[in-house]
Amino acid sequence: MNYEEFGKLKCEELLKVQNIFRENFKIDSYANWFYDSETELLRLYNDDEDEIFFRYIPVGTFSLKSRTWMWSWFNESSIEKSKTELLVVKEFGNENNYEKLKEGTFASDEYDGWELASICLDFLNGIGVYKVDTDNLEKYMLIMGIENHDSPKVRKLKQKVVECGKHGHSRPAFVCDHLDLETPKGFEEAFDTYKGMELEEEDDFQAWCNECEKIRLEHDGWNEESEKFAQIQLICEDCYFELKEFNQIK
Ligand SMILES: [Zn+2]
Ligand SMILES: [Zn+2]
């Protein structure tokens, strides 16, 4: 069988599995997603009462910018330990000389992701595939099973996040006290951000208003006085991006 036929067959199989997956777990009923590469958990949620956790294996990412696919096993910034399980698929690619299974990265389109995920699903007995979209990347995850709400992993995940009255558990973010959803006040950031992006261990989402930026520049950066003016507050990631959307002066 050539790769095209093989891929097509696996996609057809995925379609069946995927329908059951979406139906059984009401996947489309969740408005928000959040994943944690360290615990290798995907959380789908509406709020803290209405949430579900899955164990996942990262399959790979499709970059909308460079139009390339990259397997997680090839991607150094993919820290999930489970990614090595995909090497059986690579091995299979080597044996059958299927380029897309053995090359770490290659020029691609939106369809490859589903096809490659469908092949992994078959090899590793996944229960479904989930794709998260961020600004420039589509990340494909092979869903391996459901994780109990009170498992040690879920508890660990929840320790890393803040609890927000509006959004439930989400990653922490920091903003000055002046930003609100009433009057746009500018949105200066420590670094460019987009929702759901991976953060380095030492990085946090941080933003402040134009007025704070003025004071910060007057003081050559953050010091006691400029920080006193900013009154930095801890909020959740979802709140952060609501503020960003509203306050950004384009
Ligand atoms: Zn401010
Ligand atoms: Zn929030």
Side-chain angles (χ1 to χ4, degrees), residues 31-35 42-45 130 132-134 195-196:
N32 307 299
W33 55 265
F34 165 75
Y35 70 90
L42 169 70
R43 174 185 182 234
L44 302 182
Y45 63 103
Y130 195 80
V132 300
D133 299 336
T134 58
K195 205 174 165 187

Side-chain angles (χ1 to χ4, degrees), residues 12 56 74 153 172 212:
E12 280 164 14
Y56 75 88
F74 185 79
K153 264 189 172 181
C212 280

Side-chain angles (χ1 to χ4, degrees), residues 6-43:
F6 177 70
K8 194 166 168 253
L9 189 72
K10 293 302 153 193
C11 273
E12 280 164 14
E13 287 172 17
L14 170 68
L15 211 61
K16 283 180 221 149
V17 174
Q18 195 70 358
N19 282 337
I20 298 169
F21 171 64
R22 286 168 64 174
E23 207 166 294
N24 274 358
F25 299 107
K26 303 195 170 53
I27 296 300
D28 300 328
S29 73
Y30 298 102
N32 307 299
W33 55 265
F34 165 75
Y35 70 90
D36 177 53
S37 321
E38 196 190 336
T39 51
E40 300 173 49
L41 290 181
L42 169 70
R43 174 185 182 234

Side-chain angles (χ1 to χ4, degrees), residues 176 178 209 212:
C176 79
H178 314 114
C209 71
C212 280

Side-chain angles (χ1 to χ4, degrees), residues 46-48 162-170 234-236 239:
N46 290 313
D47 53 52
D48 274 357
V162 293
E163 212 173 335
C164 166
K166 191 168 163 193
H167 303 104
H169 287 91
S170 184
L234 170 68
I235 59 167
C236 93
C239 284

